[in-house]
Amino acid sequence: MKKTPYKAIILAVFCQILWGVVFPVIKKSYQLFSISDIGSTFLFASIRFMTAGLILLLVDAAKHGAFPVMRKKDAPSLFLLGTVQTGLTYGFQFAAMISAASINCSILNGTSFIFMMIFAAIMFRDDRINAKKVIGAAAGFSGILVCFLSKDAFQTFSLKGEGLMLLSIMLFAFGTSLSRKVTRDIRPAVASGYNLLIGGAELFVLALLLGGRLGNGGVFGWACLAFLAMASSVCLMLWTSLVSSYGVGRIAVFQCVNPLSGAIAAALLLGENVFQPRYIISLILVVLGIVIVNTDFSRFRASH
């Protein structure tokens, strides 16, 4: 296994820090914009993602001297990617976060590497499942069990909250492998831009049908929305580029940063108690699972 360049490591960690912070920022935005129904949730999400998609496409246009018009042959794959990785993924995620605690979302999101591993093994011959990956996956799922199977677990777990979040994570993991296929013929920035724009437009249509509306979020509310749009555009473009260049398996390890940054941000922004023993143990197990899956132990055996 080739060593991952330091530049790629820094970019991957940067993406996961921002994505981890996103969860509590979304929860805070719900409070500021008085969002409590699915339609309004989708409207907020659609504004975020359409803005993020346009940012990426305009940046690509400035870089290459022409707006990247979608080619007819690329339309099916881009619409599939946008529907899966943005429309469905974030539709379920934003709906889930109305009732799910942000720390629970962060812990669940930290297990996305398990689903990335499964989908990558199905879609790519060079990323098969082995004993090391099974052990790592077991550790990751143990983290979920510790979090939700405590004596008060059924007071904090709900299908419309954490259940939808888990479905969202599975879709994003599938979309990650799908993006690797799509970017073989399309620049990562263009693929990510249309991914966000298409998925955001789908959420916007749903929001209109469901009567979504936003309250007055104030300056801080719109600042949160601007941050979320920038995080979406920058992180998705970088993540897609990294997966395209180095493969899913080598990059998925950095998902371990996500639950940690999310937990810290939740404590700072929302005042949630993230120092309960079950949360701490869950985070440790999730991180351990990710590290086991992505560590090359052969070099340690060779040194002895």
Side-chain angles (χ1 to χ4, degrees):
M1 180 181 293
K2 295 181 180 180
K3 185 178 180 180
T4 304
Y6 287 115
K7 181 180 178 180
I9 292 174
I10 293 172
L11 291 176
V13 170
F14 173 73
C15 287
Q16 292 306 321
I17 289 176
L18 277 187
W19 267 330
V21 172
V22 156
F23 286 112
V25 173
I26 291 173
K27 294 283 283 187
K28 189 66 177 179
S29 298
Y30 283 0
Q31 298 172 8
L32 295 169
F33 285 100
S34 302
I35 295 174
S36 59
D37 62 279
I38 298 297
S40 299
T41 298
F42 286 171
L43 179 59
F44 181 82
S46 68
I47 295 173
R48 171 192 173 188
F49 295 123
M50 287 191 294
T51 301
L54 284 173
I55 289 172
L56 281 179
L57 294 176
L58 290 173
V59 169
D60 186 84
K63 182 178 180 179
H64 293 90
F67 190 83
V69 178
M70 185 190 302
R71 297 177 298 185
K72 185 177 180 179
K73 69 171 186 175
D74 297 330
S77 58
L78 288 173
F79 270 90
L80 176 61
L81 181 62
T83 299
V84 170
Q85 201 173 34
T86 298
L88 291 175
T89 291
Y90 290 103
F92 286 132
Q93 182 191 103
F94 274 61
M97 292 190 67
I98 291 177
S99 56
S102 63
I103 180 62
N104 292 352
C105 293
S106 294
I107 291 172
L108 285 171
N109 195 54
T111 66
S112 62
F113 79 97
I114 298 171
F115 302 107
M116 288 183 186
M117 175 187 72
I118 294 172
F119 289 124
I122 294 172
M123 298 173 69
F124 302 102
R125 292 183 177 181
D126 59 351
D127 209 339
R128 298 300 185 186
I129 294 177
N130 52 35
K132 180 182 67 173
K133 292 181 180 180
V134 172
I135 295 172
F141 274 120
S142 296
I144 298 178
L145 293 177
V146 168
C147 179
F148 294 117
L149 295 186
S150 60
K151 62 181 181 180
D152 62 342
F154 296 103
Q155 298 177 17
T156 60
F157 182 90
S158 68
L159 290 178
K160 68 178 182 180
E162 286 77 6
L164 284 180
M165 179 59 66
L166 190 59
L167 179 58
S168 166
I169 290 164
M170 293 172 65
L171 286 167
F172 183 82
F174 173 66
T176 296
S177 290
L178 184 62
S179 70
R180 184 183 175 190
K181 286 184 173 292
V182 171
T183 51
R184 287 174 177 173
D185 301 316
I186 307 172
R187 292 193 299 274
V190 176
S192 299
Y194 278 110
N195 178 350
L196 292 164
L197 188 60
I198 291 168
E202 292 171 347
L203 291 172
F204 183 74
V205 172
L206 284 174
L208 294 181
L209 293 176
L210 294 172
R213 58 189 302 176
L214 299 181
N216 182 10
V219 175
F220 188 40
W222 289 105
C224 286
L225 182 56
F227 166 78
L228 291 171
M230 290 299 298
S232 295
S233 59
V234 173
C235 290
L236 186 60
M237 189 270 291
L238 289 175
W239 191 253
T240 301
S241 298
L242 291 168
V243 167
S244 178
S245 299
Y246 304 106
V248 177
R250 291 176 63 187
I251 298 302
V253 63
F254 302 103
Q255 286 285 129
C256 66
V257 179
N258 191 299
L260 298 178
S261 63
I264 294 171
L268 295 175
L269 293 178
L270 302 175
E272 294 185 3
N273 181 12
V274 297
F275 297 107
Q276 298 178 44
R278 66 189 179 114
Y279 284 147
I280 295 172
I281 295 172
S282 295
L283 286 169
I284 292 172
L285 287 171
V286 167
V287 171
L288 178 63
I290 298 169
V291 172
I292 290 174
V293 167
N294 292 276
T295 299
D296 182 11
F297 293 103
S298 61
R299 59 193 179 95
F300 295 108
R301 291 195 298 269
S303 64
H304 289 80

